[in-house]
Amino acid sequence: MQEHGSDRRHRFYCDGFLSPVAAFGSEEAADWLRRLEMVEARMAGRLPPAFNAKPHLLLPWLWDIVQDRRILDPVEELLGPDILCYGTSFIIKRPGDERFVSWHQDATYWGLSSPEAVTAWIALTPSDPESGCVRVVPGTHRQQLDHADTRDPRNLLGRREKVLFDVDPAMAVDMFLEPGQMSLHHVLVIHGSEVNSSRDRRVGFAVRFIPSHLRPRDGLRVSATLARGRDLGHFEAERRPEADFHPDAVALHARIFRQSMGVIFAGAERPARPGAVGPHRDGD
C-alpha cells in the first residue's frame, strides 16, 4: 500500500525520522561517487575539511542535487513550501579506522531561532550496521538537551560533542540504505553511528534543510541557499558556482566557511532551548 504524504508527516513527527526513502537511482549514486573520487584524486586522496563544509557552493553538480525535486518533495511535506538549504557535507568513513559519530542532536550548534530542520542523508554506497550506518533513537526529538565536548579525535562531529543523556543502544534503530536511497531525520532526534568494520568506504551526502521563516540567533551573520519557494531575507543568499572550484566560488566559500565556524563555536556558549515536535505553520 502506498503511503500518503500526510501519513509520512505523521510518522516523522512521531518518530523523528523516516528511512528508507526512495530518492535516486543506484546509477546516479555511482556517478556522484565517481565524481567525488575524481575531486579527491586532485587533492591527495582526501577532500579537505574546509571544502567539505557546504561543498555545493564549490561543485555545481552538488548544487543541483540540493535543488532536486526528489529530495525537496518529501522535505516540503515536513517543512512547508519555503525551503532553504542550511548546509551540506560528505560523511565518509574509511574501512578499518576507528572514527565514529557520538550520540548527539544536530541542532546543538546550528544557531537557529527554532529547532525546525530536516537532514536528508543520501547514501552513495551501502550504509548498514557493518559499515557504520546512522542509528537513531525514535521519539527523542521533543526536547533540546545539553551536550558536552568529548575532545575525542575519533569523533567525526565538528565539536566532538555528545549528548548528556543516558542513551540505551537497544532502543536505537539502524537506518539501512542502499545507494540512491536517503533517510530524513529531525534536527533534534538523537542519533550517531559506529565505526566502519566493512571492507569498503561508507559514503553519504548530507543536506540540511530549514524553513525560510527561521532566523539566525543572537545577531549571527549566516548564509543559506534557496532550495524552493520564497526566500524571506533572513539569511545571506548563496549562489550556484559557475564551474568546479571557480575562483569566485572559492573566494565566496572561504568567507562563508569562516562565518559557519563562528556559528559552531558561538553555539558552545549558548544554553539549550526547548524543542518542538511539529513544524511552524505560519511565516512572518
Side-chain angles (χ1 to χ4, degrees), residues 162-242:
K162 68 174 181 179
V163 66
L164 297 179
F165 179 81
D166 188 15
V167 175
D168 180 358
M171 300 299 294
V173 174
D174 293 313
M175 295 204 287
F176 292 78
L177 296 175
E178 295 295 332
Q181 292 181 325
M182 68 179 179
S183 61
L184 299 171
H185 68 260
H186 192 284
V187 73
L188 286 179
V189 75
I190 294 175
H191 61 290
S193 62
E194 301 294 336
V195 301
N196 179 2
S197 58
S198 75
R199 297 183 178 181
D200 301 304
R201 289 203 305 173
R202 191 216 64 171
V203 182
F205 183 57
V207 188
R208 301 164 182 94
F209 293 105
I210 62 174
S212 62
H213 66 260
L214 294 192
R215 298 173 182 266
R217 283 176 55 183
D218 303 330
L220 294 169
R221 182 176 175 82
V222 187
S223 65
T225 295
L226 178 63
R228 175 173 286 186
R230 299 175 300 159
D231 183 347
L232 300 180
H234 303 317
F235 297 82
E236 177 186 352
E238 297 170 343
R239 60 178 181 268
R240 188 181 192 274
E242 294 183 28

Side-chain angles (χ1 to χ4, degrees), residues 103-105 108-109 143-148 162-165 270-273:
W103 296 116
H104 70 287
Q105 296 172 308
T108 306
Y109 300 123
Q143 183 179 5
Q144 188 161 341
L145 303 168
D146 288 324
H147 287 62
K162 68 174 181 179
V163 66
L164 297 179
F165 179 81
R270 293 192 297 268
R273 293 186 177 183

Side-chain angles (χ1 to χ4, degrees), residues 260-276:
S260 299
M261 294 304 295
V263 170
I264 292 172
F265 283 91
E269 307 302 324
R270 293 192 297 268
R273 293 186 177 183

